[in-house]
Amino acid sequence: FIFTIHTYSNELKIISDNLKVNRIDQTSVFTGNVYAHNQDLKIWAEKLIISYSETDSEIKQINAENKVRIKKDEITATGDTGVYFPNLS
């Protein structure tokens, strides 16, 4: 799957093997070889959970699980889990 989400002035492009969208919980769950990127941020993981605002117009939180690597600017973080809040960057 290839999925594009608009985050403020950037598009977050996400590639994964599977995608499940839950409109009630306002989440999208990407699994299997997940790669998400825009001009400022790159995320690799086996699972990525995107939480949206109530209007679905902006991303509130990104949770990454399993073999996580997050790169923003010159900083790279790795681990089993990672959390990114786009509104705080």
Side-chain angles (χ1 to χ4, degrees), residues 36-89:
H37 64 97
N38 65 18
Q39 67 186 29
D40 301 322
L41 176 71
K42 294 179 181 165
I43 302 172
W44 295 263
E46 286 300 311
K47 183 176 185 180
L48 196 70
I49 303 167
I50 308 286
S51 301
Y52 301 96
S53 66
E54 291 182 17
T55 60
D56 287 343
S57 62
E58 67 181 43
I59 295 174
K60 292 192 312 187
Q61 183 174 330
I62 300 172
N63 293 311
E65 299 176 6
N66 302 323
K67 301 179 186 174
V68 177
R69 183 167 58 136
I70 300 173
K71 182 173 182 169
K72 181 161 174 39
D73 302 320
E74 299 301 317
I75 300 170
T76 300
T78 60
D80 293 327
T81 60
V83 179
Y84 178 68
F85 297 93
N87 294 336
L88 301 179
S89 60

Side-chain angles (χ1 to χ4, degrees), residues 8-59:
Y8 297 101
S9 61
N10 277 332
E11 285 185 348
L12 182 63
K13 296 178 184 177
I14 304 170
I15 299 168
S16 68
D17 294 338
N18 300 293
L19 167 61
K20 290 184 182 179
V21 176
N22 186 327
R23 295 274 181 206
I24 294 169
D25 292 342
Q26 295 168 312
T27 59
S28 294
V29 179
F30 299 85
T31 55
N33 302 306
V34 181
Y35 174 58
H37 64 97
N38 65 18
Q39 67 186 29
D40 301 322
L41 176 71
K42 294 179 181 165
I43 302 172
W44 295 263
E46 286 300 311
K47 183 176 185 180
L48 196 70
I49 303 167
I50 308 286
S51 301
Y52 301 96
S53 66
E54 291 182 17
T55 60
D56 287 343
S57 62
E58 67 181 43
I59 295 174

